Coordinates of all heavy atoms in Angstrom, one line a residue:
M707 N 0.9 -1.2 0.0 CA 0.0 0.0 0.0 C 0.9 1.2 0.0 O 1.8 1.3 0.8 CB -0.9 0.0 1.2 CG -1.8 1.2 1.3 SD -3.2 1.0 2.4 CE -2.5 1.6 4.0
A708 N 0.6 2.2 -0.8 CA 1.3 3.4 -0.9 C 1.0 4.3 0.3 O -0.1 4.4 0.8 CB 1.0 4.1 -2.2
T709 N 2.0 5.1 0.7 CA 1.9 6.1 1.7 C 1.2 7.3 1.1 O 1.6 7.8 0.1 CB 3.2 6.4 2.4 OG1 3.8 5.2 2.9 CG2 3.1 7.4 3.5
H710 N 0.3 7.9 1.9 CA -0.4 9.1 1.5 C 0.2 10.3 2.2 O -0.2 10.6 3.3 CB -1.9 8.9 1.8 CG -2.6 7.8 1.2 ND1 -2.5 6.5 1.7 CD2 -3.3 7.7 0.1 CE1 -3.2 5.7 1.0 NE2 -3.7 6.4 0.0
W711 N 1.1 11.0 1.5 CA 1.9 12.1 2.1 C 1.1 13.4 2.1 O 0.3 13.7 1.2 CB 3.2 12.3 1.3 CG 4.0 11.1 1.4 CD1 4.2 10.1 0.4 CD2 4.9 10.6 2.4 NE1 5.0 9.1 0.8 CE2 5.5 9.4 2.0 CE3 5.1 11.1 3.7 CZ2 6.4 8.7 2.8 CZ3 6.0 10.4 4.5 CH2 6.6 9.2 4.1
F712 N 1.4 14.2 3.1 CA 0.9 15.6 3.1 C 2.0 16.5 3.6 O 2.9 16.1 4.3 CB -0.4 15.8 3.8 CG -0.5 15.3 5.2 CD1 0.2 16.0 6.3 CD2 -1.2 14.2 5.6 CE1 0.1 15.6 7.6 CE2 -1.3 13.8 6.9 CZ -0.6 14.5 7.9
S713 N 1.8 17.8 3.3 CA 2.8 18.8 3.7 C 2.1 20.1 4.0 O 1.2 20.5 3.2 CB 3.9 18.9 2.7 OG 4.9 19.8 3.0
P714 N 2.6 20.9 5.0 CA 3.6 20.6 5.9 C 3.2 19.6 7.0 O 2.0 19.4 7.1 CB 3.9 22.0 6.5 CG 2.6 22.7 6.4 CD 2.0 22.2 5.2
P715 N 4.1 19.1 7.8 CA 3.7 18.2 8.8 C 2.9 18.9 9.9 O 3.0 20.1 10.1 CB 5.1 17.7 9.4 CG 6.1 18.2 8.5 CD 5.6 19.3 7.7
V716 N 2.2 18.1 10.6 CA 1.4 18.5 11.8 C 2.2 18.0 13.0 O 2.4 16.7 13.1 CB 0.0 18.0 11.8 CG1 -0.7 18.4 13.1 CG2 -0.8 18.5 10.6
Y717 N 2.6 18.8 13.9 CA 3.4 18.4 15.1 C 2.5 18.2 16.3 O 1.7 19.1 16.6 CB 4.5 19.5 15.4 CG 5.6 19.5 14.4 CD1 5.5 20.3 13.2 CD2 6.6 18.6 14.5 CE1 6.5 20.3 12.3 CE2 7.6 18.5 13.5 CZ 7.5 19.4 12.4 OH 8.5 19.3 11.4
V718 N 2.5 17.0 16.8 CA 1.7 16.7 17.9 C 2.5 16.2 19.1 O 3.6 15.7 18.9 CB 0.6 15.6 17.6 CG1 -0.4 16.2 16.5 CG2 1.2 14.4 17.0
K719 N 1.9 16.3 20.3 CA 2.6 15.8 21.5 C 2.4 14.3 21.5 O 1.5 13.7 20.9 CB 1.9 16.4 22.7 CG 1.9 17.9 22.8 CD 1.0 18.4 24.0 CE 0.9 19.9 23.9 NZ 0.0 20.4 24.9
T720 N 3.4 13.6 22.2 CA 3.3 12.2 22.3 C 3.2 11.8 23.8 O 3.2 12.7 24.6 CB 4.6 11.5 21.7 OG1 5.7 11.9 22.5 CG2 4.8 11.9 20.3
D721 N 3.1 10.5 24.1 CA 3.0 10.1 25.4 C 4.4 10.1 26.1 O 4.5 9.8 27.3 CB 2.4 8.7 25.5 CG 3.1 7.6 24.7 OD1 4.1 8.0 24.0 OD2 2.7 6.5 24.7
R722 N 5.4 10.5 25.4 CA 6.8 10.6 26.0 C 7.1 12.0 26.3 O 7.0 12.9 25.4 CB 7.8 10.0 25.1 CG 7.6 8.5 24.9 CD 8.6 7.8 23.9 NE 9.9 8.3 24.0 CZ 10.8 8.2 23.0 NH1 10.4 7.8 21.9 NH2 12.0 8.7 23.2
L723 N 7.4 12.4 27.5 CA 7.7 13.7 27.9 C 8.7 14.4 27.1 O 9.8 13.9 26.9 CB 8.1 13.7 29.4 CG 8.3 15.1 30.0 CD1 6.9 15.9 30.0 CD2 8.8 15.0 31.4
G724 N 8.4 15.6 26.5 CA 9.3 16.3 25.7 C 9.5 15.9 24.3 O 10.3 16.4 23.6
V725 N 8.7 14.9 23.9 CA 8.9 14.3 22.5 C 7.6 14.7 21.7 O 6.5 14.5 22.1 CB 9.0 12.8 22.6 CG1 9.1 12.2 21.2 CG2 10.3 12.4 23.4
T726 N 7.9 15.2 20.5 CA 6.8 15.5 19.6 C 7.0 14.7 18.4 O 8.0 14.1 18.1 CB 6.8 17.0 19.2 OG1 8.0 17.3 18.6 CG2 6.6 17.9 20.4
Y727 N 5.9 14.6 17.6 CA 5.9 13.8 16.4 C 5.4 14.7 15.3 O 4.4 15.3 15.3 CB 4.9 12.6 16.5 CG 4.7 11.8 15.3 CD1 5.7 11.2 14.6 CD2 3.4 11.7 14.8 CE1 5.4 10.5 13.4 CE2 3.1 11.0 13.6 CZ 4.2 10.4 12.9 OH 3.9 9.7 11.8
G728 N 6.2 14.8 14.2 CA 5.9 15.5 13.0 C 5.2 14.6 12.0 O 5.9 13.9 11.3
C729 N 3.9 14.6 12.1 CA 3.1 13.7 11.2 C 3.0 14.3 9.8 O 2.5 15.4 9.7 CB 1.7 13.5 11.8 SG 0.7 12.3 10.9
N730 N 3.4 13.5 8.8 CA 3.3 14.0 7.4 C 2.6 13.0 6.4 O 2.8 13.1 5.2 CB 4.7 14.4 6.9 CG 5.6 13.2 6.9 OD1 5.3 12.1 7.3 ND2 6.8 13.4 6.4
N731 N 1.8 12.1 7.0 CA 1.1 11.2 6.1 C -0.1 10.7 6.8 O -0.3 10.7 8.0 CB 2.0 10.0 5.7 CG 2.5 9.2 6.8 OD1 1.8 8.4 7.3 ND2 3.8 9.4 7.2
V732 N -1.1 10.2 6.0 CA -2.4 9.7 6.5 C -2.2 8.5 7.4 O -2.9 8.4 8.4 CB -3.3 9.4 5.3 CG1 -4.6 8.7 5.8 CG2 -3.5 10.6 4.4
E733 N -1.3 7.6 7.1 CA -1.1 6.4 7.9 C -0.6 6.8 9.3 O -1.1 6.2 10.3 CB -0.1 5.5 7.2 CG -0.6 4.8 5.9 CD -0.7 5.8 4.7 OE1 -0.1 6.9 4.7 OE2 -1.3 5.3 3.7
G734 N 0.3 7.7 9.4 CA 0.8 8.2 10.7 C -0.3 8.9 11.5 O -0.4 8.8 12.7
A735 N -1.1 9.7 10.8 CA -2.2 10.4 11.4 C -3.2 9.4 12.0 O -3.6 9.5 13.2 CB -2.9 11.3 10.5
A736 N -3.5 8.4 11.3 CA -4.5 7.3 11.7 C -3.9 6.6 13.0 O -4.6 6.4 14.0 CB -4.8 6.3 10.6
E737 N -2.6 6.3 12.9 CA -2.0 5.6 14.0 C -2.0 6.5 15.3 O -2.3 6.1 16.4 CB -0.5 5.3 13.7 CG 0.2 4.4 14.7 CD 1.5 4.0 14.2 OE1 1.7 3.7 13.0 OE2 2.5 3.9 15.1
E738 N -1.6 7.8 15.1 CA -1.6 8.7 16.3 C -3.0 8.9 16.8 O -3.2 8.9 18.1 CB -1.1 10.1 15.9 CG 0.4 10.1 15.7 CD 1.1 9.7 17.0 OE1 0.9 10.3 18.1 OE2 1.9 8.7 16.9
L739 N -4.0 9.0 16.0 CA -5.4 9.2 16.5 C -5.8 8.1 17.4 O -6.5 8.3 18.3 CB -6.4 9.3 15.3 CG -6.3 10.7 14.5 CD1 -7.0 10.5 13.1 CD2 -6.9 11.8 15.3
M740 N -5.4 6.8 17.0 CA -5.8 5.7 17.8 C -5.2 5.7 19.2 O -5.7 5.0 20.1 CB -5.5 4.4 17.1 CG -6.2 4.2 15.8 SD -8.0 4.0 16.1 CE -8.6 5.5 15.3
K741 N -4.1 6.4 19.4 CA -3.5 6.5 20.7 C -4.1 7.5 21.7 O -3.9 7.4 22.9 CB -2.0 6.9 20.5 CG -1.1 5.9 19.7 CD 0.3 6.5 19.6 CE 1.1 5.6 18.7 NZ 2.5 6.2 18.5
W742 N -4.9 8.4 21.2 CA -5.4 9.4 22.0 C -6.6 8.9 22.9 O -7.4 8.2 22.4 CB -5.9 10.6 21.2 CG -4.8 11.3 20.4 CD1 -3.5 11.0 20.4 CD2 -5.0 12.3 19.4 NE1 -2.8 11.8 19.5 CE2 -3.7 12.6 18.9 CE3 -6.1 13.0 18.9 CZ2 -3.5 13.6 17.9 CZ3 -5.9 13.9 17.9 CH2 -4.6 14.2 17.4
T743 N -6.6 9.3 24.1 CA -7.7 8.9 25.0 C -8.9 9.8 24.9 O -10.0 9.4 25.2 CB -7.2 8.9 26.5 OG1 -6.6 10.2 26.8 CG2 -6.1 7.8 26.6
E744 N -8.7 11.1 24.6 CA -9.8 12.0 24.4 C -10.2 11.9 23.0 O -9.4 12.0 22.1 CB -9.3 13.4 24.8 CG -8.9 13.6 26.2 CD -10.0 13.4 27.2 OE1 -11.2 13.9 26.9 OE2 -9.8 12.8 28.3
R745 N -11.5 11.8 22.8 CA -12.0 11.6 21.4 C -13.3 12.4 21.2 O -14.4 11.9 21.4 CB -12.2 10.1 21.1 CG -10.9 9.3 21.2 CD -11.1 7.8 21.0 NE -9.8 7.2 20.9 CZ -9.6 5.9 20.7 NH1 -10.6 5.1 20.5 NH2 -8.4 5.4 20.7
G746 N -13.1 13.6 20.8 CA -14.2 14.5 20.6 C -14.7 14.5 19.1 O -14.3 13.6 18.3
P747 N -15.6 15.4 18.8 CA -16.2 15.4 17.5 C -15.2 15.6 16.3 O -15.3 14.9 15.3 CB -17.2 16.6 17.5 CG -17.4 16.9 18.9 CD -16.2 16.4 19.7
K748 N -14.2 16.4 16.5 CA -13.2 16.6 15.5 C -12.3 15.3 15.4 O -11.8 15.1 14.3 CB -12.4 17.8 15.7 CG -13.2 19.1 15.5 CD -12.5 20.3 15.6 CE -13.5 21.5 15.4 NZ -12.8 22.8 15.5
W749 N -12.1 14.6 16.5 CA -11.4 13.3 16.4 C -12.1 12.4 15.4 O -11.5 11.7 14.6 CB -11.2 12.7 17.8 CG -10.5 11.4 17.8 CD1 -9.2 11.2 17.9 CD2 -11.1 10.1 17.6 NE1 -8.8 9.9 17.9 CE2 -10.0 9.2 17.7 CE3 -12.4 9.6 17.5 CZ2 -10.2 7.8 17.6 CZ3 -12.5 8.2 17.3 CH2 -11.5 7.3 17.4
N750 N -13.4 12.3 15.6 CA -14.3 11.4 14.8 C -14.2 11.8 13.3 O -14.1 11.0 12.4 CB -15.7 11.5 15.2 CG -15.9 10.7 16.6 OD1 -15.4 9.7 16.8 ND2 -16.7 11.4 17.4
L751 N -14.2 13.1 13.0 CA -14.1 13.6 11.7 C -12.7 13.3 11.1 O -12.6 12.9 9.9 CB -14.3 15.1 11.6 CG -15.7 15.6 11.9 CD1 -15.8 17.1 12.0 CD2 -16.7 15.1 10.9
A752 N -11.7 13.4 11.9 CA -10.3 13.0 11.4 C -10.2 11.5 11.1 O -9.6 11.2 10.1 CB -9.3 13.5 12.4
V753 N -10.7 10.7 12.0 CA -10.7 9.3 11.7 C -11.4 8.9 10.4 O -11.0 8.2 9.6 CB -11.3 8.5 12.9 CG1 -11.5 7.0 12.6 CG2 -10.4 8.6 14.1
Q754 N -12.6 9.6 10.2 CA -13.4 9.3 9.0 C -12.6 9.8 7.8 O -12.6 9.2 6.7 CB -14.7 10.0 9.1 CG -15.6 9.8 7.9 CD -15.9 8.3 7.7 OE1 -16.4 7.7 8.6 NE2 -15.7 7.7 6.5
A755 N -11.9 11.0 7.9 CA -11.1 11.5 6.8 C -10.0 10.5 6.4 O -9.7 10.3 5.3 CB -10.5 12.8 7.2
C756 N -9.3 9.9 7.5 CA -8.3 8.9 7.2 C -8.9 7.7 6.4 O -8.3 7.3 5.4 CB -7.7 8.4 8.5 SG -6.7 9.6 9.3
S757 N -10.0 7.3 6.8 CA -10.7 6.1 6.1 C -11.0 6.5 4.7 O -10.8 5.7 3.8 CB -11.9 5.7 6.9 OG -12.6 4.7 6.3
D758 N -11.6 7.7 4.5 CA -11.9 8.2 3.2 C -10.7 8.3 2.3 O -10.7 8.0 1.1 CB -12.6 9.5 3.3 CG -14.1 9.4 3.9 OD1 -14.6 8.3 3.9 OD2 -14.6 10.4 4.2
A759 N -9.6 8.8 2.9 CA -8.3 8.9 2.1 C -7.8 7.5 1.6 O -7.4 7.4 0.5 CB -7.2 9.6 2.9
F760 N -8.0 6.5 2.5 CA -7.6 5.2 2.1 C -8.4 4.7 0.9 O -7.9 3.9 0.1 CB -7.7 4.2 3.3 CG -6.7 4.5 4.4 CD1 -7.1 4.4 5.7 CD2 -5.4 4.9 4.2 CE1 -6.2 4.6 6.8 CE2 -4.5 5.1 5.2 CZ -4.9 5.0 6.5
E761 N -9.6 5.1 0.9 CA -10.5 4.7 -0.2 C -10.5 5.7 -1.4 O -11.2 5.5 -2.4 CB -12.0 4.7 0.3 CG -12.2 3.7 1.4 CD -12.0 2.2 0.9 OE1 -12.4 1.9 -0.2 OE2 -11.4 1.4 1.7
G762 N -9.6 6.7 -1.3 CA -9.5 7.6 -2.5 C -10.6 8.7 -2.6 O -10.7 9.3 -3.6
R763 N -11.4 8.9 -1.5 CA -12.5 9.8 -1.6 C -12.1 11.2 -1.1 O -12.8 12.2 -1.5 CB -13.6 9.3 -0.7 CG -14.3 8.1 -1.3 CD -15.6 7.7 -0.5 NE -15.3 7.3 0.8 CZ -15.2 6.0 1.2 NH1 -15.3 5.1 0.3 NH2 -15.0 5.7 2.5
V764 N -11.0 11.4 -0.4 CA -10.5 12.7 0.0 C -9.0 12.7 -0.2 O -8.3 11.7 -0.3 CB -10.8 13.1 1.4 CG1 -12.3 13.1 1.7 CG2 -10.1 12.2 2.5
S765 N -8.4 13.9 -0.3 CA -7.0 14.0 -0.5 C -6.2 14.0 0.9 O -6.8 14.2 1.9 CB -6.6 15.4 -1.1 OG -6.8 16.4 -0.2
P766 N -4.9 13.6 0.8 CA -4.1 13.6 2.0 C -4.1 15.0 2.7 O -4.1 15.1 3.9 CB -2.7 13.3 1.5 CG -3.0 12.4 0.4 CD -4.2 13.0 -0.3
N767 N -4.2 16.1 1.9 CA -4.2 17.4 2.6 C -5.6 17.7 3.3 O -5.6 18.4 4.3 CB -4.0 18.5 1.5 CG -2.5 18.6 1.3 OD1 -1.6 18.4 2.1 ND2 -2.1 18.9 0.0
D768 N -6.7 17.0 2.9 CA -7.9 17.1 3.6 C -7.7 16.4 5.0 O -8.2 16.9 6.0 CB -9.0 16.4 2.9 CG -9.5 17.2 1.6 OD1 -9.3 18.4 1.6 OD2 -9.9 16.5 0.7
V769 N -7.0 15.3 5.0 CA -6.7 14.6 6.2 C -5.8 15.5 7.1 O -6.1 15.5 8.3 CB -6.0 13.2 6.0 CG1 -5.6 12.6 7.3 CG2 -7.0 12.3 5.2
R770 N -4.8 16.1 6.5 CA -4.0 17.0 7.3 C -4.8 18.0 8.1 O -4.6 18.2 9.3 CB -2.9 17.7 6.4 CG -2.0 18.5 7.2 CD -1.3 19.6 6.3 NE -0.4 20.3 7.1 CZ -0.8 21.3 7.9 NH1 -2.0 21.6 8.0 NH2 0.1 22.0 8.6
K771 N -5.7 18.7 7.4 CA -6.5 19.7 8.0 C -7.4 19.1 9.2 O -7.4 19.6 10.3 CB -7.4 20.4 7.0 CG -8.2 21.5 7.5 CD -9.1 22.2 6.5 CE -9.8 23.3 7.2 NZ -11.1 23.6 6.6
A772 N -8.0 18.0 8.9 CA -8.8 17.3 9.9 C -8.0 16.9 11.1 O -8.4 17.0 12.3 CB -9.6 16.2 9.3
F773 N -6.8 16.3 10.8 CA -5.9 15.9 11.9 C -5.5 17.0 12.8 O -5.5 17.0 14.0 CB -4.7 15.1 11.3 CG -3.7 14.6 12.3 CD1 -4.1 13.7 13.2 CD2 -2.4 15.0 12.3 CE1 -3.2 13.2 14.1 CE2 -1.5 14.6 13.2 CZ -1.9 13.6 14.1
E774 N -5.1 18.1 12.1 CA -4.7 19.3 12.9 C -5.8 19.9 13.7 O -5.6 20.2 14.9 CB -4.2 20.4 11.9 CG -3.6 21.6 12.6 CD -3.0 22.6 11.7 OE1 -3.5 22.8 10.5 OE2 -1.9 23.1 12.0
E775 N -7.0 19.9 13.2 CA -8.1 20.4 14.0 C -8.4 19.5 15.2 O -8.7 19.9 16.3 CB -9.4 20.5 13.1 CG -9.2 21.7 12.1 CD -10.4 21.8 11.1 OE1 -11.3 20.9 11.2 OE2 -10.4 22.7 10.3
A776 N -8.3 18.2 15.0 CA -8.5 17.2 16.0 C -7.5 17.3 17.1 O -7.8 17.3 18.3 CB -8.6 15.8 15.5
A777 N -6.2 17.5 16.7 CA -5.1 17.7 17.6 C -5.3 18.9 18.5 O -5.1 18.9 19.7 CB -3.8 17.7 16.9
E778 N -5.8 20.0 17.8 CA -6.0 21.2 18.6 C -7.2 21.0 19.6 O -7.0 21.4 20.7 CB -6.3 22.4 17.6 CG -6.5 23.7 18.3 CD -6.7 24.9 17.4 OE1 -7.0 24.6 16.2 OE2 -6.5 26.0 17.8
E779 N -8.2 20.4 19.1 CA -9.4 20.2 20.0 C -9.0 19.3 21.2 O -9.5 19.6 22.3 CB -10.5 19.4 19.2 CG -11.7 19.1 20.1 CD -12.7 18.3 19.3 OE1 -12.4 17.1 18.9 OE2 -13.8 18.8 19.0
E780 N -8.1 18.3 21.0 CA -7.8 17.4 22.1 C -6.6 17.9 22.9 O -6.1 17.2 23.8 CB -7.5 16.0 21.5 CG -8.7 15.4 20.8 CD -10.0 15.4 21.5 OE1 -10.0 15.3 22.8 OE2 -11.0 15.4 20.9
G781 N -6.0 19.0 22.6 CA -4.9 19.5 23.3 C -3.6 18.8 23.0 O -2.6 18.8 23.7
M782 N -3.6 18.2 21.8 CA -2.4 17.4 21.4 C -1.5 18.2 20.4 O -0.4 17.8 20.1 CB -2.8 16.1 20.8 CG -3.5 15.1 21.7 SD -2.6 14.7 23.1 CE -1.4 13.6 22.4
L783 N -2.0 19.3 19.9 CA -1.2 20.0 18.9 C -0.1 20.7 19.6 O -0.2 21.3 20.6 CB -2.1 21.1 18.2 CG -1.5 21.9 17.1 CD1 -1.2 20.9 15.9 CD2 -2.5 23.0 16.6
F784 N 1.1 20.5 19.0 CA 2.3 21.1 19.6 C 2.5 22.5 18.9 O 2.7 22.6 17.7 CB 3.6 20.3 19.3 CG 4.8 20.9 19.8 CD1 5.1 20.8 21.2 CD2 5.7 21.5 19.0 CE1 6.3 21.4 21.7 CE2 6.9 22.0 19.5 CZ 7.2 22.0 20.8
L785 N 2.5 23.5 19.8 CA 2.7 24.9 19.3 C 4.0 25.4 20.0 O 4.1 25.4 21.2 CB 1.5 25.8 19.8 CG 0.2 25.3 19.2 CD1 -0.9 26.2 19.9 CD2 0.1 25.5 17.7
D786 N 5.0 25.8 19.2 CA 6.2 26.2 19.8 C 6.2 27.7 20.0 O 5.4 28.5 19.6 CB 7.4 25.8 19.0 CG 7.4 26.2 17.5 OD1 6.3 26.5 17.0 OD2 8.4 26.1 16.9

């Protein structure tokens, strides 16, 4: 399966203190979303966007936007 890349990366906090993850593809976004314990409405939209991207219904950049919004909603977005 091909990786669905997007740019620029979305930087999110991880479960390791002081470590961030620069997510730049749909597969990575889906994996990170599954790790989060808080799952609000934007989380659900981001998961659906990932699924839709795997089926070719939305672009990787659509996933990037949804992932970033979910990360912000859940307090996972890393802002320097």
